[in-house]
mmCIF file with all atom_site columns, all heavy atoms in Angstrom:
data_model
loop_
_atom_site.group_PDB
_atom_site.id
_atom_site.type_symbol
_atom_site.label_atom_id
_atom_site.label_alt_id
_atom_site.label_comp_id
_atom_site.label_asym_id
_atom_site.label_entity_id
_atom_site.label_seq_id
_atom_site.pdbx_PDB_ins_code
_atom_site.Cartn_x
_atom_site.Cartn_y
_atom_site.Cartn_z
_atom_site.occupancy
_atom_site.B_iso_or_equiv
_atom_site.pdbx_formal_charge
_atom_site.auth_seq_id
_atom_site.auth_comp_id
_atom_site.auth_asym_id
_atom_site.auth_atom_id
_atom_site.pdbx_PDB_model_num
ATOM   1   N N   . SER B 1 149 ? -46.906 85.617  246.746 1.00 0.00 ? 149 SER B N   1
ATOM   2   C CA  . SER B 1 149 ? -45.790 86.296  247.413 1.00 0.00 ? 149 SER B CA  1
ATOM   3   C C   . SER B 1 149 ? -45.074 85.128  248.268 1.00 0.00 ? 149 SER B C   1
ATOM   4   O O   . SER B 1 149 ? -43.935 85.315  248.614 1.00 0.00 ? 149 SER B O   1
ATOM   5   C CB  . SER B 1 149 ? -46.134 87.419  248.190 1.00 0.00 ? 149 SER B CB  1
ATOM   6   O OG  . SER B 1 149 ? -47.060 87.193  249.252 1.00 0.00 ? 149 SER B OG  1
ATOM   7   N N   . GLY B 1 182 ? -48.485 97.515  254.374 1.00 0.00 ? 182 GLY B N   1
ATOM   8   C CA  . GLY B 1 182 ? -49.162 96.697  253.235 1.00 0.00 ? 182 GLY B CA  1
ATOM   9   C C   . GLY B 1 182 ? -48.846 95.300  253.319 1.00 0.00 ? 182 GLY B C   1
ATOM   10  O O   . GLY B 1 182 ? -48.483 94.625  252.326 1.00 0.00 ? 182 GLY B O   1
ATOM   11  N N   . ASP B 1 205 ? -52.198 96.753  257.230 1.00 0.00 ? 205 ASP B N   1
ATOM   12  C CA  . ASP B 1 205 ? -52.817 96.681  255.897 1.00 0.00 ? 205 ASP B CA  1
ATOM   13  C C   . ASP B 1 205 ? -54.138 97.293  255.968 1.00 0.00 ? 205 ASP B C   1
ATOM   14  O O   . ASP B 1 205 ? -54.835 97.318  256.989 1.00 0.00 ? 205 ASP B O   1
ATOM   15  C CB  . ASP B 1 205 ? -52.870 95.227  255.388 1.00 0.00 ? 205 ASP B CB  1
ATOM   16  C CG  . ASP B 1 205 ? -53.000 95.130  253.977 1.00 0.00 ? 205 ASP B CG  1
ATOM   17  O OD1 . ASP B 1 205 ? -54.215 95.374  253.413 1.00 0.00 ? 205 ASP B OD1 1
ATOM   18  O OD2 . ASP B 1 205 ? -52.056 94.835  253.255 1.00 0.00 ? 205 ASP B OD2 1
ATOM   19  N N   . ILE B 1 206 ? -54.535 97.866  254.783 1.00 0.00 ? 206 ILE B N   1
ATOM   20  C CA  . ILE B 1 206 ? -55.811 98.560  254.726 1.00 0.00 ? 206 ILE B CA  1
ATOM   21  C C   . ILE B 1 206 ? -56.951 97.555  254.665 1.00 0.00 ? 206 ILE B C   1
ATOM   22  O O   . ILE B 1 206 ? -58.146 97.941  254.967 1.00 0.00 ? 206 ILE B O   1
ATOM   23  C CB  . ILE B 1 206 ? -55.829 99.567  253.596 1.00 0.00 ? 206 ILE B CB  1
ATOM   24  C CG1 . ILE B 1 206 ? -56.861 100.645 253.804 1.00 0.00 ? 206 ILE B CG1 1
ATOM   25  C CG2 . ILE B 1 206 ? -56.119 98.850  252.266 1.00 0.00 ? 206 ILE B CG2 1
ATOM   26  C CD1 . ILE B 1 206 ? -56.652 101.827 252.902 1.00 0.00 ? 206 ILE B CD1 1
ATOM   27  N N   . ASP B 1 232 ? -54.381 102.532 257.294 1.00 0.00 ? 232 ASP B N   1
ATOM   28  C CA  . ASP B 1 232 ? -54.083 103.119 255.965 1.00 0.00 ? 232 ASP B CA  1
ATOM   29  C C   . ASP B 1 232 ? -52.634 103.589 255.948 1.00 0.00 ? 232 ASP B C   1
ATOM   30  O O   . ASP B 1 232 ? -52.156 104.389 256.848 1.00 0.00 ? 232 ASP B O   1
ATOM   31  C CB  . ASP B 1 232 ? -55.084 104.294 255.687 1.00 0.00 ? 232 ASP B CB  1
ATOM   32  C CG  . ASP B 1 232 ? -54.865 104.831 254.260 1.00 0.00 ? 232 ASP B CG  1
ATOM   33  O OD1 . ASP B 1 232 ? -53.959 104.560 253.610 1.00 0.00 ? 232 ASP B OD1 1
ATOM   34  O OD2 . ASP B 1 232 ? -55.774 105.647 253.942 1.00 0.00 ? 232 ASP B OD2 1
ATOM   35  N N   . ALA B 1 233 ? -51.862 103.130 255.054 1.00 0.00 ? 233 ALA B N   1
ATOM   36  C CA  . ALA B 1 233 ? -50.397 103.438 255.037 1.00 0.00 ? 233 ALA B CA  1
ATOM   37  C C   . ALA B 1 233 ? -50.201 104.984 254.685 1.00 0.00 ? 233 ALA B C   1
ATOM   38  O O   . ALA B 1 233 ? -49.194 105.567 254.994 1.00 0.00 ? 233 ALA B O   1
ATOM   39  C CB  . ALA B 1 233 ? -49.724 102.688 253.824 1.00 0.00 ? 233 ALA B CB  1
ATOM   40  N N   . PHE B 1 248 ? -43.339 95.021  251.111 1.00 0.00 ? 248 PHE B N   1
ATOM   41  C CA  . PHE B 1 248 ? -43.171 94.075  250.013 1.00 0.00 ? 248 PHE B CA  1
ATOM   42  C C   . PHE B 1 248 ? -44.303 94.264  248.998 1.00 0.00 ? 248 PHE B C   1
ATOM   43  O O   . PHE B 1 248 ? -45.465 93.997  249.253 1.00 0.00 ? 248 PHE B O   1
ATOM   44  C CB  . PHE B 1 248 ? -43.183 92.694  250.721 1.00 0.00 ? 248 PHE B CB  1
ATOM   45  C CG  . PHE B 1 248 ? -42.180 92.393  251.668 1.00 0.00 ? 248 PHE B CG  1
ATOM   46  C CD1 . PHE B 1 248 ? -42.453 92.171  253.052 1.00 0.00 ? 248 PHE B CD1 1
ATOM   47  C CD2 . PHE B 1 248 ? -40.713 92.303  251.294 1.00 0.00 ? 248 PHE B CD2 1
ATOM   48  C CE1 . PHE B 1 248 ? -41.448 92.013  253.970 1.00 0.00 ? 248 PHE B CE1 1
ATOM   49  C CE2 . PHE B 1 248 ? -39.801 92.095  252.235 1.00 0.00 ? 248 PHE B CE2 1
ATOM   50  C CZ  . PHE B 1 248 ? -40.040 91.989  253.632 1.00 0.00 ? 248 PHE B CZ  1
ATOM   51  N N   . ASP B 1 249 ? -43.913 94.632  247.789 1.00 0.00 ? 249 ASP B N   1
ATOM   52  C CA  . ASP B 1 249 ? -44.837 94.690  246.648 1.00 0.00 ? 249 ASP B CA  1
ATOM   53  C C   . ASP B 1 249 ? -45.967 95.668  247.073 1.00 0.00 ? 249 ASP B C   1
ATOM   54  O O   . ASP B 1 249 ? -47.071 95.418  246.570 1.00 0.00 ? 249 ASP B O   1
ATOM   55  C CB  . ASP B 1 249 ? -45.397 93.273  246.433 1.00 0.00 ? 249 ASP B CB  1
ATOM   56  C CG  . ASP B 1 249 ? -45.678 93.115  244.889 1.00 0.00 ? 249 ASP B CG  1
ATOM   57  O OD1 . ASP B 1 249 ? -45.305 94.000  244.163 1.00 0.00 ? 249 ASP B OD1 1
ATOM   58  O OD2 . ASP B 1 249 ? -46.282 92.065  244.605 1.00 0.00 ? 249 ASP B OD2 1
ATOM   59  N N   . ASP B 1 253 ? -48.596 100.253 244.685 1.00 0.00 ? 253 ASP B N   1
ATOM   60  C CA  . ASP B 1 253 ? -50.109 100.173 244.799 1.00 0.00 ? 253 ASP B CA  1
ATOM   61  C C   . ASP B 1 253 ? -50.706 101.535 245.306 1.00 0.00 ? 253 ASP B C   1
ATOM   62  O O   . ASP B 1 253 ? -51.814 101.665 245.274 1.00 0.00 ? 253 ASP B O   1
ATOM   63  C CB  . ASP B 1 253 ? -50.527 99.178  245.823 1.00 0.00 ? 253 ASP B CB  1
ATOM   64  C CG  . ASP B 1 253 ? -50.523 97.695  245.335 1.00 0.00 ? 253 ASP B CG  1
ATOM   65  O OD1 . ASP B 1 253 ? -49.965 97.596  244.200 1.00 0.00 ? 253 ASP B OD1 1
ATOM   66  O OD2 . ASP B 1 253 ? -50.934 96.869  246.049 1.00 0.00 ? 253 ASP B OD2 1
ATOM   67  N N   . GLN B 1 254 ? -49.782 102.411 245.847 1.00 0.00 ? 254 GLN B N   1
ATOM   68  C CA  . GLN B 1 254 ? -50.371 103.492 246.590 1.00 0.00 ? 254 GLN B CA  1
ATOM   69  C C   . GLN B 1 254 ? -50.858 104.594 245.659 1.00 0.00 ? 254 GLN B C   1
ATOM   70  O O   . GLN B 1 254 ? -50.162 104.945 244.681 1.00 0.00 ? 254 GLN B O   1
ATOM   71  C CB  . GLN B 1 254 ? -49.223 104.041 247.460 1.00 0.00 ? 254 GLN B CB  1
ATOM   72  C CG  . GLN B 1 254 ? -48.776 103.004 248.525 1.00 0.00 ? 254 GLN B CG  1
ATOM   73  C CD  . GLN B 1 254 ? -49.947 102.439 249.304 1.00 0.00 ? 254 GLN B CD  1
ATOM   74  O OE1 . GLN B 1 254 ? -50.838 103.143 249.749 1.00 0.00 ? 254 GLN B OE1 1
ATOM   75  N NE2 . GLN B 1 254 ? -50.038 101.153 249.412 1.00 0.00 ? 254 GLN B NE2 1
HETATM 76  C C1  . SAM Q 2 .   ? -49.630 93.558  246.101 1.00 0.00 ? 401 SAM Q C1  1
HETATM 77  S S1  . SAM Q 2 .   ? -50.316 93.369  247.717 1.00 0.00 ? 401 SAM Q S1  1
HETATM 78  C C2  . SAM Q 2 .   ? -48.861 92.811  248.631 1.00 0.00 ? 401 SAM Q C2  1
HETATM 79  C C3  . SAM Q 2 .   ? -49.216 92.276  250.034 1.00 0.00 ? 401 SAM Q C3  1
HETATM 80  C C4  . SAM Q 2 .   ? -48.086 91.641  250.786 1.00 0.00 ? 401 SAM Q C4  1
HETATM 81  N N1  . SAM Q 2 .   ? -47.101 92.662  251.113 1.00 0.00 ? 401 SAM Q N1  1
HETATM 82  C C5  . SAM Q 2 .   ? -47.471 90.481  250.033 1.00 0.00 ? 401 SAM Q C5  1
HETATM 83  O O1  . SAM Q 2 .   ? -46.238 90.591  249.529 1.00 0.00 ? 401 SAM Q O1  1
HETATM 84  O O2  . SAM Q 2 .   ? -48.156 89.450  249.962 1.00 0.00 ? 401 SAM Q O2  1
HETATM 85  C C6  . SAM Q 2 .   ? -50.397 95.020  248.276 1.00 0.00 ? 401 SAM Q C6  1
HETATM 86  C C7  . SAM Q 2 .   ? -51.036 95.216  249.662 1.00 0.00 ? 401 SAM Q C7  1
HETATM 87  O O3  . SAM Q 2 .   ? -51.105 96.566  249.979 1.00 0.00 ? 401 SAM Q O3  1
HETATM 88  C C8  . SAM Q 2 .   ? -52.289 96.825  250.653 1.00 0.00 ? 401 SAM Q C8  1
HETATM 89  N N2  . SAM Q 2 .   ? -52.520 98.300  250.603 1.00 0.00 ? 401 SAM Q N2  1
HETATM 90  C C9  . SAM Q 2 .   ? -52.878 98.954  249.433 1.00 0.00 ? 401 SAM Q C9  1
HETATM 91  N N3  . SAM Q 2 .   ? -53.046 100.273 249.791 1.00 0.00 ? 401 SAM Q N3  1
HETATM 92  C C10 . SAM Q 2 .   ? -52.894 100.403 251.071 1.00 0.00 ? 401 SAM Q C10 1
HETATM 93  C C11 . SAM Q 2 .   ? -52.784 101.506 252.007 1.00 0.00 ? 401 SAM Q C11 1
HETATM 94  N N4  . SAM Q 2 .   ? -53.189 102.675 251.578 1.00 0.00 ? 401 SAM Q N4  1
HETATM 95  N N5  . SAM Q 2 .   ? -52.673 101.174 253.341 1.00 0.00 ? 401 SAM Q N5  1
HETATM 96  C C12 . SAM Q 2 .   ? -52.277 99.999  253.819 1.00 0.00 ? 401 SAM Q C12 1
HETATM 97  N N6  . SAM Q 2 .   ? -52.257 98.892  252.887 1.00 0.00 ? 401 SAM Q N6  1
HETATM 98  C C13 . SAM Q 2 .   ? -52.517 99.103  251.619 1.00 0.00 ? 401 SAM Q C13 1
HETATM 99  C C14 . SAM Q 2 .   ? -53.298 95.981  249.985 1.00 0.00 ? 401 SAM Q C14 1
HETATM 100 O O4  . SAM Q 2 .   ? -54.448 95.741  250.717 1.00 0.00 ? 401 SAM Q O4  1
HETATM 101 C C15 . SAM Q 2 .   ? -52.507 94.702  249.737 1.00 0.00 ? 401 SAM Q C15 1
HETATM 102 O O5  . SAM Q 2 .   ? -52.587 93.737  250.773 1.00 0.00 ? 401 SAM Q O5  1
#
Side-chain angles (χ1 to χ4, degrees):
S149 64
D205 199 282
I206 202 162
D232 184 349
F248 297 115
D249 210 11
D253 282 8
Q254 299 305 313

